[in-house]
Amino acid sequence: MKILVSDPISEQGIAILQKEHDVDVKIKLSAEELIKIIPDYDALVVRSETKVTKAIIEVANNLKVIGRAGVGIDNIDVDAATKKGIIVLNTPDGNTVAATEHTMAMLLALARNIPQAHQSMKEGKWLRSKFMGVEMRGKTLGVVGMGRIGSGVAKRALAMEMKVLAYDPFINEETAKTLDIDLVPLDEVFAAADFITMHLPLTAETKHLINKDSLQKMKPGVRIVNCARGGVIDEQALADAIKQGIVAGAAIDVFEKEPVDPANPLLTLDNVVITPHLGASTAEAQVGVAVDVAESILVALRGDPVTTAVNIAPVPAHAMKIIRPYLTLAERMGCLAVHLADGRIDSVIVEYNGEISELDTKMLTTAVLKGIFNPILQEPVNYVNAPAVAKSRGVKAKEIKSQDSDNFTNLITVRVHTDKCEIQVAGTLFGREEGRVVQINGYRVDVDPQGWLLIGPHLNKPGIIGKVGTILGDQNINIAGMQVGHTPTEGENIMVMTVDGDIPSAVMLKINAVDGIFGAKLVNINAG
């Protein structure tokens, strides 16, 4: 496949990509140039300079994944990518330490007036009294956003004997307790904190979260740090609050407009520490994000789920380790179910029984939907767009969970409801990796779900299986494996034959004409 790298990344990342695919590095492309060439590429790697707009995505007919070597994705139209089934991924871990340490450096520089004192010394001055600072020990730090970086800052602040208040609507009290922080409403952070540090993405909800009104709620003399995203602070309002004495100082690494506008009011204030978006600018971080994005791109191009994708339901690393072996099984069960179904699909129910029911199973359900829709739709269906495809076709997807699992440690059951029937397929893992279908429409089976499967419910009487075998043998179609499943209904069985290839429609007509066959179907299980 072809990969385009349109922003500078470490050579180590490029080398990883080149091991498996063709890589072109073309830096500083205009929007028009990118629109012209992007249809040729399967993957795009960017940092913050390239703006991946809707217009670019609309013509990217071969694009499967966009990788951001960094955390922020505000330069990528994620909605447009999602609608087109393009995975958008970032590298949240690669520069975590760098950004965390830069935040701590900015906090310390702000508290002790280090840049200002340094500059005065360069000018030949000795102004000890002018640069009186404050200690951080015993002060209250307000952390707004407790992701990887925010949590890292909180941990280091506690080591410096600060009290930490945190605001994050997406973590619970139990998590906060493990971090030894106090989780409080945002207004309480504003009212109590001596230092406030921002660690939020830029969204419609977070834009200008710190503004004229919120600044009025803050503790007089507060110091504010932003090493997250430009735009979460109203820069004019912050400058005004500093001039009015509400805010004692600020340390800013990111801006609404970058490179920073020379007219930015923060540039003229002596008690503002400013750096040019250096949060991730360490040698280690540059290698880290390049390696991370390259490895994730390769995973995405193989068709496997990517844990750092931002437009797929996120799965914690510990949960992914458990559910990963089930992903292929879940997809193939969906593929098998849709091939057996007749009529228009109304709903899909995925039941999780056993220990697996305690995990976040959204990605497994997405894998089922991927397996259902890929064989029947022209457009490709993947982990990104499968839920949207189901919704657009009026198919309701539902999960049911129970710790009861009868004879299996874990059991996944897929039920596809149509306007004509209900198809049920259940599966589990044998050992750690071997996925097996153990039930089809109530018949107990043991099927390796791959390749070409001939599935035929039939009367339980002598001769039927032999007749089917004879028909296949006469056509030189090899049977690689076969078994018969039982059902509680007396007199009915199901045969599942693994064959080496496609069975012509004329041969399928002969099989279905055998007296006692209820409607045999051929399934290419790899179609999902």
Side-chain angles (χ1 to χ4, degrees), residues 387-450:
V389 168
K391 186 177 180 180
S392 69
R393 298 177 69 86
V395 176
K396 298 178 181 178
K398 179 182 179 182
E399 292 184 355
I400 297 175
K401 296 186 176 184
S402 172
Q403 293 189 9
D404 298 330
S405 59
D406 296 328
N407 299 321
F408 302 96
T409 303
N410 292 299
L411 187 70
I412 302 174
T413 304
V414 176
R415 301 183 190 277
V416 175
H417 295 264
T418 77
D419 56 350
K420 295 182 179 180
C421 66
E422 175 187 327
I423 300 297
Q424 172 258 323
V425 178
T428 189
L429 289 186
F430 287 4
R432 295 183 177 181
E433 299 287 340
E434 188 179 355
R436 311 289 285 192
V437 171
V438 297
Q439 196 175 83
I440 300 174
N441 290 338
Y443 296 98
R444 177 68 174 87
V445 296
D446 180 5
V447 175
D448 183 5
Q450 60 179 320

Side-chain angles (χ1 to χ4, degrees), residues 5 10 101 174 212 233 277 339 353 386 403 409 422 452 454 457 489:
V5 178
S10 167
E101 290 182 353
E174 184 177 344
K212 182 178 179 180
I233 296 177
H277 205 146
H339 276 94
N353 294 86
Q403 293 189 9
T409 303
E422 175 187 327
W452 294 88
L454 174 63
T489 304

Side-chain angles (χ1 to χ4, degrees), residues 48-80:
S48 57
E49 295 178 18
T50 299
K51 309 302 179 187
V52 189
T53 63
K54 181 179 180 180
I56 292 169
I57 290 170
E58 283 180 344
V59 299
N61 294 326
N62 290 317
L63 202 61
K64 300 168 182 64
V65 56
I66 301 168
R68 164 71 159 90
V71 178
I73 52 168
D74 43 289
N75 58 317
I76 303 170
D77 191 327
V78 177
D79 288 340

